[in-house]
Amino acid sequence: MVTAQSQFDLYENANIHRGMYDLSNQATKKFENARTQTARFLGCNNADTIAFTQGTTASINIVAQSFLAPRLQVGDNIVTTIMEHHANFIPWQMLAKKYQIELRIAPMNKDGDLDLIELKSLIDHKTQLLAVSHVSNTLGTIHPLDEITRLAKNKEIPILIDAAQSACHFEIGVDSLNCDFLTFSGHKMFGPFGVGILQVSEKYLGDMIPFNFGGGIIKDVQIEKTSFRNFPHNLDAGTPNVSGVIGLAAALKLISDIGKSDMESHLNNLTLFALDQLPQVPGIEIIGNPKKRIGIISFNLKNIHPHDIASFLNKDGIALRAGMHCTQPLLRSMGLQATARISFSIYNKEEEINKLILSLKELINFWS
Ligand SMILES: Cc1ncc(COP(=O)(O)O)c(C=O)c1O
């Protein structure tokens, strides 16, 4: 990723879709190749259904402003879940307030699994969007996407999947999944910061209306009116993050080369090992016990704030996230303010889990 990006920055740097000179044409080609490669990565036949954005948050806000806002009417509703990252929660809450519509929130059970019966009961003919994450970034829960997508499709409701935590690890297959909007961020895919994607089903491409105006998205501009290009070229007014997109394509290639199934089984093994070993830490409470989970484990220690846990472990070179993980509604629903969170990646090893456990025990001794 770094090599691909620095090669571009140092030797091939030019803007895309503008110049008539070789450097610009080559940059355009690389950028568009990245789109094709992203489509292949997502099991998607039509690369023109993929827009490059600044990341998951930006993509979700695009769906909110471009697709959803223009079709909302009083009496409508948006359905989401209590388990969402703020990025997949606040945009809907804002729309609900502005357009006087209802935001319906599906609950989870005490184990951290989504309540699918409740979710189903919330969707009706006034639902304009179902917005759900594939994987909870706080509890690690893997939601049953096929089942959830079917719930929406049975009622012809558009569905958005926030794949920020899952696109790196699972074969998503957007064409077979049959979702309408899917998004992920580069920096969670071993790629650059500030770049991500939004994939839109062919059915709704024509509904993606520009809302951010400027150069690069237009067909024709007159004093009185402007006409716009089609998706995906009508949403990214201004200069895109060309080198970021090229870096992202290199990162996707790296993931494909490693192989998602190898990654998944490595993460599964680490997670099972950690869940087996962590209970030996006195006073530990593992938060949630979902039926299917990814390599994310939230926990608390009795009488020690998660920020203190993270600071203490930092001295041993352990990078642990602590806080509310941009999921305040989820934590509040569990009566919590914060957790410490372990999040594994392909480079982690069992020895590191042993080291983590030793550090936690040392912290408890120090604290008592
Ligand atoms: C599930 C989920 N959704 C959305 C986001 C937001 O991603 P970004 O900050 O890259 O826009 C995150 C980031 O942690 C996430 O975990």
Side-chain angles (χ1 to χ4, degrees):
M1 180 280 277
V2 174
T3 317
Q5 242 185 312
S6 30
Q7 164 73 19
F8 178 80
D9 289 339
L10 289 171
Y11 307 112
E12 301 166 350
N13 198 304
N15 210 339
I16 57 160
H17 294 304
R18 285 166 176 62
M20 293 294 151
Y21 48 96
D22 285 351
L23 215 51
S24 173
N25 290 336
Q26 280 160 20
T28 304
K29 207 165 164 195
K30 273 202 163 180
F31 190 87
E32 290 307 325
N33 281 347
R35 203 188 300 279
T36 311
Q37 199 186 324
T38 307
R40 220 177 301 127
F41 182 86
L42 284 175
C44 166
N45 270 326
N46 182 354
D48 283 338
T49 62
I50 291 171
F52 292 113
T53 67
Q54 290 171 342
T56 304
T57 305
S59 298
I60 293 174
N61 278 280
I62 288 172
V63 175
Q65 298 307 324
S66 163
F67 171 78
L68 201 53
R71 55 207 284 148
L72 292 177
Q73 291 182 353
V74 177
D76 284 344
N77 66 72
I78 299 169
V79 178
T80 187
T81 87
I82 195 71
M83 303 179 74
E84 303 309 313
H85 188 283
H86 293 161
N88 196 25
F89 190 85
I90 304 172
W92 318 128
Q93 190 187 53
M94 290 296 169
L95 284 184
K97 280 196 195 314
K98 184 167 176 189
Y99 293 92
Q100 296 175 12
I101 62 156
E102 200 185 339
L103 180 61
R104 297 182 174 174
I105 300 164
M108 62 180 195
N109 65 21
K110 67 176 181 7
D111 288 335
D113 282 310
L114 205 51
D115 185 333
L116 292 179
I117 296 171
E118 273 292 318
L119 178 65
K120 185 175 177 190
S121 75
L122 295 178
I123 302 171
D124 62 21
H125 67 287
K126 289 282 191 185
T127 304
Q128 294 297 342
L129 185 80
L130 169 60
V132 187
S133 53
H134 188 181
V135 167
S136 158
N137 63 306
T138 297
L139 301 181
T141 313
I142 304 171
H143 300 308
L145 268 200
D146 285 335
E147 220 173 313
I148 294 172
T149 311
R150 224 174 302 124
L151 288 183
K153 289 292 146 179
N154 283 345
K155 295 199 170 147
E156 297 194 17
I157 309 296
I159 176 164
L160 176 143
I161 306 293
D162 168 357
Q165 290 288 341
S166 63
C168 186
H169 309 295
F170 301 120
E171 295 297 347
I172 301 226
V174 283
D175 284 351
S176 51
L177 182 61
N178 198 15
C179 62
D180 296 300
F181 305 97
L182 184 128
T183 172
F184 65 73
S185 300
H187 67 101
K188 295 188 189 301
M189 317 280 292
F190 312 119
F193 289 100
V195 66
I197 68 109
L198 171 64
Q199 199 272 341
V200 177
S201 65
E202 286 177 346
K203 180 173 178 188
Y204 292 120
L205 289 181
D207 295 293
M208 300 305 290
I209 298 164
F211 68 100
N212 202 13
F213 301 105
I217 62 169
I218 57 96
K219 275 186 190 152
D220 184 54
V221 182
Q222 300 174 28
I223 298 286
E224 305 78 18
K225 61 177 193 252
T226 298
S227 60
F228 297 100
R229 299 169 75 192
N230 295 330
F231 187 90
H233 305 290
N234 62 354
L235 292 176
D236 52 349
T239 303
N241 181 357
V242 182
S243 91
V245 166
I246 288 164
L248 175 63
L252 299 186
K253 180 170 178 327
L254 173 76
I255 293 170
S256 303
D257 289 350
I258 296 170
K260 286 194 185 176
S261 60
D262 282 357
M263 261 204 265
E264 199 184 332
S265 64
H266 178 65
L267 293 185
N268 271 340
N269 291 339
L270 283 180
T271 309
L272 289 175
F273 182 75
L275 288 172
D276 186 54
Q277 297 297 311
L278 282 168
Q280 61 177 282
V281 176
I284 193 166
E285 185 196 3
I286 309 280
I287 312 296
N289 181 26
K291 285 197 196 91
K292 281 184 81 183
R293 75 185 309 156
I294 201 170
I296 290 174
I297 302 172
S298 264
F299 68 92
N300 277 325
L301 295 181
K302 205 168 171 198
N303 298 330
I304 307 179
H305 193 278
H307 285 171
D308 294 320
I309 303 175
S311 304
F312 191 87
L313 267 57
N314 178 48
K315 78 170 181 41
D316 291 336
I318 299 170
L320 197 77
R321 180 98 179 250
M324 41 81 173
H325 316 295
C326 296
T327 55
Q328 266 187 314
L330 182 153
L331 289 190
R332 286 219 166 97
S333 79
M334 300 180 97
L336 296 170
Q337 284 191 333
T339 72
R341 189 192 67 177
I342 305 164
S343 176
F344 296 123
S345 190
I346 42 169
Y347 41 76
N348 290 118
K349 304 186 186 90
E350 283 187 1
E351 300 94 88
E352 292 168 326
I353 297 170
N354 292 330
K355 185 174 162 188
L356 167 88
I357 288 170
L358 275 180
S359 293
L360 288 174
K361 285 180 174 170
E362 202 189 311
L363 165 65
I364 290 160
N365 280 336
F366 173 78
W367 216 264
S368 56

